[in-house]
């Protein structure tokens, strides 16, 4: 997909990203890189207790990072995205090693900025696993180029 310009978005638009399987290696690398060194993420005996979880879970921030990576992988902002302005996540269910996730993008609003060559697109994003369960939701706002993006040439007299 080519990147969408501000004008290409419309309220109610729905876009699905590619899918990605979360691996044990992904979780280990993220946990070690970011220092999430708590029993919830590094102790398999702890997480396999019946009162906890039924296997290795991904930190919510990893799920959110993958969800955003899937949006980038979809190409929707390729060459047109200028800035991520807002993320407001809510986690609904754990993501386990071996789960496959996908992000569903729902455009809720858009507005042109005062510069006129870019706009802000707000979306509600739903992260689902391969069972169709919602594991996270979040709103986001992105600054997106319009088709007129770039320097304005002054008229010659």
């Amino acid at each position: 997909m080519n990147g969408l310009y501000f004008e290409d978005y419309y309220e109610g638009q729905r876009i699905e990203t590619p899918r990605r399987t979360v691996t044990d290696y992904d979780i280990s690398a993220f946990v070690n890189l970011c220092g999430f060194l708590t029993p919830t993420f590094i102790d398999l005996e702890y997480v396999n207790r019946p009162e906890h979880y039924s296997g290795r879970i991904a930190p919510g921030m990893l799920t959110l990072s993958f969800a955003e990576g899937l949006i980038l992988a979809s190409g929707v902002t390729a060459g047109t995205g200028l800035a991520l302005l807002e993320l407001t996540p809510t986690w609904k269910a754990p993501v386990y090693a071996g789960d496959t996730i996908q992000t569903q993008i729902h455009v809720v609003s858009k507005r042109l900025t005062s510069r006129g060559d870019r706009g802000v697109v707000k979306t509600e994003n739903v992260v689902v696993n391969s069972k169709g369960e919602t594991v996270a939701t979040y709103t986001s706002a992105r600054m997106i180029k319009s088709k007129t993006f770039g320097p304005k040439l002054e008229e010659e007299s």
Side-chain angles (χ1 to χ4, degrees):
M1 168 184 271
N2 291 329
L4 299 178
Y5 286 94
F6 175 78
E7 295 86 348
D8 299 326
Y9 289 92
Y10 57 89
E11 289 183 25
Q13 184 176 19
R14 296 185 181 279
I15 302 165
E16 289 189 349
T17 69
R19 296 184 310 263
R20 177 195 172 99
T21 300
V22 179
T23 67
D24 188 67
Y25 174 79
D26 293 329
I27 296 169
S28 293
F30 184 86
V31 163
N32 285 303
L33 178 66
C34 297
F36 284 38
L37 304 173
T38 68
T40 303
F41 304 121
I42 63 170
D43 184 340
L44 292 181
E45 285 185 28
Y46 176 84
V47 297
N48 281 316
R49 291 182 192 157
E51 67 272 19
H52 291 138
Y53 303 98
S54 57
R56 184 116 196 245
I57 64 168
M61 293 305 293
L62 176 59
T63 300
L64 182 61
S65 296
F66 279 161
E68 279 294 294
L70 290 169
I71 289 174
L72 296 176
S74 76
V76 71
T77 61
T80 58
L82 292 170
L84 178 61
L85 305 172
E86 176 185 331
L87 277 178
T88 310
T90 302
W91 289 273
K92 305 286 188 179
V95 171
Y96 291 92
D99 282 354
T100 299
I101 61 171
Q102 179 181 48
T103 307
Q104 301 169 346
I105 307 163
H106 307 158
V107 178
V108 294
S109 68
K110 69 178 200 173
R111 69 171 176 80
L112 205 55
T113 67
S114 59
R115 287 184 64 153
D117 69 345
R118 63 198 71 194
V120 176
V121 176
K122 290 194 174 190
T123 60
E124 290 180 0
N125 306 293
V126 179
V127 185
V128 295
N129 63 21
S130 52
K131 298 174 198 161
E133 301 165 331
T134 298
V135 296
T137 60
Y138 64 100
T139 57
S140 65
R142 299 173 200 282
M143 188 169 295
I144 304 292
K145 293 178 183 177
S146 77
K147 293 178 181 176
T148 63
F149 180 80
K152 305 292 184 245
L153 300 176
E154 292 185 38
E155 292 183 19
E156 294 184 26
S157 35

